[in-house]
Amino acid sequence: MALWMVRSGKHGEREQLALSQNLAIIGWENLPDLSQVKSRQELEGLLRDHGAPHSPNRLRNWVGQIWRFIGEMAPGDLVAMPLKHRSAVVLGWVRGAYAHRKDLDPEVSRLHTRPVEWVKEVPRSAIDQDLLYSLGAFMTVCKIQRNQAEKRIQAFLESKNEALEKSTLSTIQAEIEDGDEEASILEGNLEGVAQDQIRTHIGRHFKGHQLTYLVDGVLRAYGYQTHVSPQGPDHGVDIVAGSGELGFGRPRLVVQVKSSEAPIGQSVVRELQGAMSNFNAEHGLVVAWGGFKSTVDRERSRLFFQIQLWDADDLIDAVKRAYDSFPEALQADIPLKRVWMLVPSTENEA
């Protein structure tokens, strides 16, 4: 049994299709059916015939990733799909052989797929940092092997309550084979590594109602006057906020903050809609550290001009935008430093 990381597009454009159809889907749509390809050499020749990259390293990398998907991945293997549109990783089992599908997306005539039984969506905040390093590999397909990753993910899938075994970052070692096994995380995805570190820090230091005070700090930095409800029953509202020096101006905003690592459902959104009417507020904000269930995500567009939905990554992005306006005490609680770096090539992904 192996553990594979498979992304569904640079921008997550194939995620919903993959989840709804129980598939792992990779790119390279210009390539024909690969079910009869029997070797890496044959695959390399096919890539050359269909616009292979000029860089020998990039070509070798593409061959390695595609070959692992069509030739090495096997039924019974574990698969993890990091999501782009919410702060979570979906875990499941490979259930079949490679298939070239032409019936799934009217805009894309060729899709390279594997049948997958998607079992569980896990908030990134619930996953150990060393596994997040590996899942941050700057590739479309890679095999995750370090630190007994397969056994730990299997235990996570098979138990409703068991947490992932904790590991220290000092045990992390890169394992790169033929340029296509695991990308060097520190070279390939520094932004993702930093985001995970910030997420872990906030998750540890702003538990429970403390997360509400962090959201309040963001809103105050944005220019709102706010009132935070005391801990306990809040009638669906944790923060009320208004514009102007006294907070009497518009827009008026009511906020519900959920610090649980479990994704929330539609009931919380419906509750906030009722609170908006009770408080005569034009807008609402739901902050869910554990993200949202798919039923809520499907409502994002319809709710956009009325209610904003923030998961952990959205809150972290808001913290980074507002950070310079935070009071010193709040900055001390989240010690961040802005740096510049050279952006690496995205040649590993397709």
Side-chain angles (χ1 to χ4, degrees):
M1 180 185 67
L3 169 62
W4 303 94
M5 186 275 289
V6 180
R7 297 190 185 278
S8 289
K10 289 181 180 179
H11 307 290
E13 59 269 23
R14 294 183 289 268
E15 285 178 4
Q16 289 307 311
L17 182 62
L19 292 172
S20 65
Q21 298 296 319
N22 284 305
L23 295 170
I25 306 173
I26 62 172
W28 294 283
E29 289 94 349
N30 62 313
L31 294 179
D33 189 347
L34 303 174
S35 58
Q36 300 305 311
V37 174
K38 303 301 181 184
S39 68
R40 287 177 179 248
Q41 291 74 23
E42 186 178 347
L43 177 60
E44 181 176 336
L46 193 62
L47 273 166
R48 292 185 185 278
D49 292 339
H50 289 79
H54 298 294
S55 165
N57 289 336
R58 190 178 187 189
L59 174 60
R60 184 162 162 259
N61 192 286
W62 280 18
V63 169
Q65 291 187 77
I66 299 170
W67 177 251
R68 288 196 178 281
F69 189 79
I70 69 173
E72 295 186 12
M73 193 179 291
D77 284 351
L78 293 160
V79 61
M81 180 171 67
L83 300 180
K84 288 280 189 179
H85 299 301
R86 55 186 182 272
S87 181
V89 178
V90 183
L91 306 175
W93 302 94
V94 179
R95 292 307 189 199
Y98 162 83
H100 188 241
R101 300 286 297 272
K102 300 181 180 180
D103 59 323
L104 295 172
D105 188 340
E107 296 183 4
V108 181
S109 60
R110 300 169 174 174
L111 287 173
H112 306 287
T113 72
R114 279 268 187 175
V116 170
E117 178 189 356
W118 296 116
V119 177
K120 183 178 294 186
E121 180 175 312
V122 183
R124 293 180 68 91
S125 57
I127 300 176
D128 287 339
Q129 185 68 64
D130 63 320
L131 288 177
L132 289 176
Y133 270 84
S134 294
L135 293 170
F138 213 62
M139 307 178 83
T140 300
V141 182
C142 74
K143 189 176 183 181
I144 308 297
Q145 300 182 95
R146 59 181 77 167
N147 297 344
Q148 296 183 315
E150 302 97 327
K151 292 182 179 179
R152 294 161 65 195
I153 292 296
Q154 183 178 4
F156 201 91
L157 273 175
E158 293 177 348
S159 172
K160 292 183 179 180
N161 300 312
E162 184 178 352
L164 289 177
E165 171 192 347
K166 293 296 180 183
S167 300
T168 60
L169 293 178
S170 61
T171 64
I172 297 174
Q173 294 181 350
E175 300 175 7
I176 305 170
E177 178 182 329
D178 294 334
D180 64 0
E181 184 139 333
E182 287 192 43
S184 173
I185 309 305
L186 294 180
E187 292 179 0
N189 193 14
L190 284 169
E191 184 177 6
V193 170
Q195 190 84 346
D196 286 334
Q197 290 176 336
I198 297 170
R199 184 186 298 108
T200 299
H201 179 87
I202 291 176
R204 289 174 178 171
H205 291 81
F206 291 87
K207 293 181 179 296
H209 198 60
Q210 292 301 311
L211 191 66
T212 300
Y213 290 106
L214 177 58
V215 176
D216 180 68
V218 170
L219 295 176
R220 285 184 170 275
Y222 284 178
Y224 282 99
Q225 298 298 318
T226 65
H227 171 75
V228 178
S229 299
Q231 189 169 358
D234 54 26
H235 305 291
V237 172
D238 288 307
I239 304 171
V240 293
S243 301
E245 290 186 3
L246 296 178
F248 293 157
R250 297 179 184 273
R252 294 171 179 170
L253 178 71
V254 292
V255 185
Q256 180 67 283
V257 181
K258 297 295 184 182
S259 60
S260 168
E261 293 186 346
I264 67 168
Q266 290 180 320
S267 61
V268 175
V269 178
R270 300 288 180 262
E271 186 180 46
L272 188 67
Q273 286 178 312
M276 288 169 59
S277 177
N278 293 338
F279 283 80
N280 195 25
E282 296 88 357
H283 300 291
L285 170 64
V286 180
V287 180
W289 187 252
F292 301 90
K293 293 181 179 179
S294 58
T295 52
V296 179
D297 274 319
R298 288 195 289 268
E299 295 283 296
R300 281 181 181 270
S301 296
R302 186 182 66 81
L303 295 170
F304 185 84
F305 294 110
Q306 182 186 33
I307 297 177
Q308 292 285 298
L309 306 174
W310 285 5
D311 62 15
D313 280 336
D314 295 318
L315 177 56
I316 292 168
D317 289 342
V319 165
K320 289 189 285 190
R321 290 194 298 270
Y323 191 77
D324 289 340
S325 299
F326 279 177
E328 290 185 3
L330 187 53
Q331 288 186 348
D333 288 336
I334 312 175
L336 302 180
K337 180 179 181 180
R338 185 181 288 110
V339 298
W340 294 94
M341 66 187 73
L342 186 66
V343 178
S345 168
T346 59
E347 65 182 21
N348 293 322
E349 261 191 308

